[in-house]
Amino acid sequence: MYLWFKLRHVFFTILWFAGLFAMPRLLVNLSQLTVGTVEYQRLLAMASKLMRYMTPMGVLALLFGLFAVISGHLWGGWAHSKITLGVVLLGYHFYSWRLLQDFREGRNHYGQRWYRFYSEVPIVLMALALYLVVFKPF
């Protein structure tokens, strides 16, 4: 069963990361527009649909990752670190949802430069997770 869980974990992780990479880019573009314009409403609708798509992918990625660890008896230090990164990514996901809520309510607090920096966070976290999986340093 371990390999089936691992396969599903990798599959749903790829789908989740597609959303984690795209959402901040939509937020960058939203931050450049005037609230209420047609373009703003269009991007807001796209971001909302993306969030509805990526949320179940994240949940499934995390569940199958935990199932893989449990079924493979992989409770080494690297697995704990990878689970911690998964929790951090989940926090990033929910913070992105909160930012999207702010845009829906017309009260964005950040500029496009902040969102550009924010969009780099999942790239760094993915690199750390890949390092842990490939090298299993501890």
Side-chain angles (χ1 to χ4, degrees):
M1 286 303 292
Y2 164 72
L3 290 177
W4 285 107
F5 288 142
K6 185 177 178 180
L7 172 82
R8 289 180 178 109
H9 169 64
V10 170
F11 177 76
F12 288 114
T13 298
I14 290 168
L15 296 176
W16 187 27
F17 265 98
L20 289 173
F21 292 150
M23 180 58 71
R25 299 306 306 159
L26 288 171
L27 298 178
V28 167
N29 292 329
L30 276 168
S31 71
Q32 297 172 333
L33 298 172
T34 304
V35 176
T37 62
V38 173
E39 294 87 1
Y40 186 90
Q41 294 303 320
R42 185 177 303 126
L43 281 178
L44 194 58
M46 288 173 62
S48 297
K49 289 176 183 178
L50 178 61
M51 185 59 74
R52 282 194 307 271
Y53 165 81
M54 64 191 257
T55 298
M57 299 306 127
V59 169
L60 290 169
L62 292 171
L63 283 176
F64 282 117
L66 285 174
F67 293 159
V69 167
I70 292 167
S71 69
H73 306 289
L74 304 171
W75 288 106
W78 72 272
H80 291 157
S81 298
K82 192 162 177 287
I83 290 168
T84 300
L85 283 175
V87 170
V88 171
L89 281 166
L90 189 62
Y92 181 89
H93 180 104
F94 281 114
Y95 190 65
S96 295
W97 175 80
R98 183 65 236 157
L99 292 170
L100 181 58
Q101 291 299 110
D102 287 345
F103 276 107
R104 283 184 186 138
E105 296 166 6
R107 55 185 173 98
N108 170 37
H109 302 289
Y110 304 105
Q112 65 172 313
R113 191 171 188 179
W114 186 88
Y115 286 108
R116 290 181 193 281
F117 173 76
Y118 182 73
S119 70
E120 303 301 322
V121 172
I123 296 169
V124 172
L125 294 175
M126 182 184 68
L128 287 170
L130 287 172
Y131 171 78
L132 290 170
V133 169
V134 172
F135 294 106
K136 294 180 181 63
F138 40 84

